[in-house]
Amino acid sequence: MAPSANLAALRDAVRDIPDFPKPGIVFKDITPLLASPPLFKATLDLMEARWRPERIAKVVGIESRGFLFAAPLADRLGAGLVIARKPGKLPYQTLSEEYALEYGVDTLHLHADAILPGERILVVDDVIATGGTAGAVGRLSVRTGGVLVGYSFLIELGFLEGAARLNGTPHHAVLAY
């Protein structure tokens, strides 16, 4: 498939679910894309092509759907996998970062020794919406001494302007809405 055909097929596989999880929200359901081996592979091919030249040492996947893309992408890039989790989910010493939600705050954690000083870091999630979650994980990665190279997403909801919260760090989304 040509890249433009890939993007059209990927876009067609993402279904809109109106009023989920609450009225007024249109949820982007990626499960049909994940269920299709050729479409999932095409997604990973596009993510890999963007970040391959960057010599990534660690890919940081954000709980939980970010894990779906981060693990195979880390394998393809020859990088280690680090997971960013909610409080109480990691068994060793952690660093944490709070970030703002629409109503309140949340926190994410990384193992304190997961990223070594100077390692080149790529943060991965399924969707960037307001950018709060991704930005928090990026800040955590830098606090460990890592060098934040960029952010990778399947979907960017551009109308929410989440990329503005990434402090100018390069980002790439396979699909933009």
Side-chain angles (χ1 to χ4, degrees), residues 46-92:
L46 291 166
M47 290 176 153
E48 177 188 3
R50 167 58 184 91
W51 300 106
R52 163 94 26 222
E54 299 294 339
R55 302 177 339 273
I56 304 298
K58 297 278 175 67
V59 173
V60 181
I62 300 174
E63 185 170 334
S64 64
R65 290 184 305 261
F67 298 168
L68 301 171
F69 300 96
L73 187 56
D75 177 66
R76 286 170 168 233
L77 295 174
L81 176 66
V82 175
I83 55 176
R85 303 232 35 210
K86 294 185 180 188
K89 300 290 184 181
L90 292 173
Y92 187 64

Side-chain angles (χ1 to χ4, degrees), residues 141-163:
S141 299
V142 169
R143 283 180 41 212
T144 66
V147 176
L148 181 58
V149 174
Y151 296 89
S152 187
F153 308 99
L154 169 60
I155 294 172
E156 179 175 5
L157 301 176
F159 61 92
L160 294 174
E161 300 179 354

Side-chain angles (χ1 to χ4, degrees), residues 90-113:
L90 292 173
Y92 187 64
Q93 292 176 329
T94 64
L95 298 174
S96 64
E97 184 78 24
E98 284 190 349
Y99 59 100
L101 297 171
E102 188 176 356
Y103 301 104
V105 297
D106 209 345
T107 306
L108 285 168
H109 291 254
L110 292 179
H111 275 144
D113 63 351

